[in-house]
Amino acid sequence: MSTAEETTGGEVEPWDEVTPDAARRLLVAAVEAFAERGYHATTTRDIAGRAGMSPAALYIHYKTKEELLHRISRIGHEKAVAILRTAARGEGSATERLADAVSSFVRWHAGRRTTARVVQYELDALGPEARSEIVALRRQCDAEVRGIIEDGVRAGEFDVSDVKGTTLAVLSLCIDVARWFNVNGPRTPDEVGALYADLVLRMVGAG
Amino acid sequence: MSTAEETTGGEVEPWDEVTPDAARRLLVAAVEAFAERGYHATTTRDIAGRAGMSPAALYIHYKTKEELLHRISRIGHEKAVAILRTAARGEGSATERLADAVSSFVRWHAGRRTTARVVQYELDALGPEARSEIVALRRQCDAEVRGIIEDGVRAGEFDVSDVKGTTLAVLSLCIDVARWFNVNGPRTPDEVGALYADLVLRMVGAG
């Protein structure tokens, strides 16, 4: 287990792979600054200052502000794909795998909501190349959930007439947790995950 | 019918109530600027320029940038309350009223997604007084949907163990349409509204 594991939601920080330490600190500072003020209102000087570094030190690791957003977005989306893939390729029935996908995806969006908001709301700020890379990762997220729903329909576990639309709605419901989730609110990430797994199983007509 | 009615979603522009014309033009310009660059990266000079006016002319109508955001947020939330209240107080069964609430709320978020994004994502930029006014309107939205679900449970139409959590999920699902909806995508606002009404009726265990 990582020492960066959070108390809320029990999720591991997604930045462990970023080295050296200065590059990771800058990434964390950029997430906070983008979340607070928005991408366009944040300067590389702001980000360096938050990380306790000089603008010159930032440029050793990231050539532009967009490179920081791109890196954050790629790591965030790769983590999302990994969570959904692990659930989709598990051993249980489609019902069990869909419940697992939804509860773990919800826990991630509740526990890492600051990162998730930046990743979701600042997509338009990416250049065309970075954007198409991220869009490909988003299609993989979609494909993992759609795969479970198709399995469930084939196995007679689910009753779904619009598989694509239902997949979209399931992902959307989980992603929006990042917008409204409040650590001081009455529900833990685990509780929201359990509730949402139940609601999604109803959406697909399970059991 | 208003001449400002949109082709996508058939929703009426929510700014008709804003007079005089210059004040309305400034509000529309502010929505566009906030959506494109974020609240903090937008200046009142940017907004005046987009509306083809001088900064001095802007100050006749709005004393601060926050006043513009507050006005946009209040009108957007009042419209949301009105949509949900109309559906909640309709004549049909709880099943019919919930389907109506969801489909009309989805159509609004798809058709007015630029406004909806500003209203939803820039809440933190409001001062404490404006914020508590908006929070009160959000509670009214919640109460309207919760009221329909409670009616449905009482009438034996719905089977819901967590009414508060299910209400939150229903609203969240509809609101997130503003994030992902694409006018060039394969679905019209009406089609998304119909799909989502069906999914929500499943969530509450209707029929």
Side-chain angles (χ1 to χ4, degrees), chain B residues 2-206:
Chain B
S2 162
T3 53
E5 188 160 330
E6 286 200 313
T7 50
T8 54
E11 291 295 337
V12 172
E13 288 275 357
W15 315 123
D16 287 356
E17 64 177 81
V18 183
T19 56
D21 183 59
R24 184 169 53 246
R25 270 163 50 214
L26 285 162
L27 219 66
V28 171
V31 169
E32 287 170 7
F34 294 157
E36 260 180 52
R37 305 268 307 162
Y39 176 79
H40 294 290
T42 300
T43 63
T44 47
R45 178 173 291 272
D46 296 335
I47 295 166
R50 273 179 188 261
M53 290 164 65
S54 70
L58 183 146
Y59 289 113
I60 296 171
H61 303 285
Y62 305 99
K63 278 186 226 82
T64 62
K65 187 172 70 163
E66 196 212 320
E67 192 181 326
L68 275 155
L69 179 62
H70 183 190
R71 190 81 192 267
I72 290 164
S73 196
R74 186 168 59 215
I75 294 174
H77 278 91
E78 282 170 349
K79 178 74 183 162
V81 172
I83 288 169
L84 295 173
R85 182 164 291 165
T86 301
R89 305 193 178 174
E91 293 216 329
S93 64
T95 302
E96 287 163 333
R97 287 182 287 132
L98 187 58
D100 185 25
V102 168
S103 60
S104 50
F105 207 47
V106 162
R107 279 198 305 272
W108 194 75
H109 280 89
R112 304 305 313 151
R113 67 206 157 279
T114 310
T115 302
R117 284 185 195 189
V118 169
V119 161
Q120 296 295 341
Y121 303 163
E122 301 286 10
L123 267 186
D124 290 342
L126 292 173
E129 221 173 301
R131 209 185 146 80
S132 61
E133 188 198 62
I134 300 302
V135 167
L137 290 168
R138 294 171 82 87
R139 292 216 175 101
Q140 286 181 45
C141 287
D142 192 89
E144 295 296 345
V145 172
R146 203 175 56 240
I148 308 175
I149 295 178
E150 284 167 347
D151 287 349
V153 170
R154 255 194 307 270
E157 292 175 50
F158 301 161
D159 166 29
V160 177
S161 54
D162 181 347
V163 171
K164 277 181 100 165
T166 304
T167 300
L168 193 157
V170 169
L171 284 166
S172 170
L173 188 66
C174 298
I175 288 169
D176 196 51
V177 169
R179 181 184 56 81
W180 64 260
F181 187 79
N182 177 358
V183 270
N184 302 314
R187 293 168 198 268
T188 65
D190 280 346
E191 287 166 349
V192 180
L195 170 65
Y196 273 42
D198 175 57
L199 292 173
V200 166
L201 291 183
R202 286 172 168 228
M203 281 164 69
V204 297

Side-chain angles (χ1 to χ4, degrees), chain A residues 15 23-31 34 39 43-44 47-48 58 61-75 118 126:
Chain A
W15 316 123
R24 184 170 53 246
R25 269 163 50 213
L26 285 161
L27 218 66
V28 171
V31 169
F34 294 158
Y39 176 79
T43 64
T44 48
I47 296 167
L58 183 147
H61 302 285
Y62 304 99
K63 278 185 226 83
T64 61
K65 185 172 72 163
E66 196 212 320
E67 193 182 325
L68 275 155
L69 179 63
H70 182 190
R71 190 80 192 270
I72 291 163
S73 195
R74 186 169 59 215
I75 294 174
V118 169
L126 292 173

Side-chain angles (χ1 to χ4, degrees), chain A residues 90-123:
Chain A
E91 293 216 329
S93 64
T95 302
E96 288 163 333
R97 288 182 286 132
L98 187 58
D100 184 26
V102 167
S103 59
S104 50
F105 207 46
V106 162
R107 279 198 305 271
W108 195 76
H109 280 89
R112 305 304 313 151
R113 67 206 159 279
T114 310
T115 302
R117 284 185 194 187
V118 169
V119 161
Q120 295 296 340
Y121 303 163
E122 299 289 9
L123 268 185

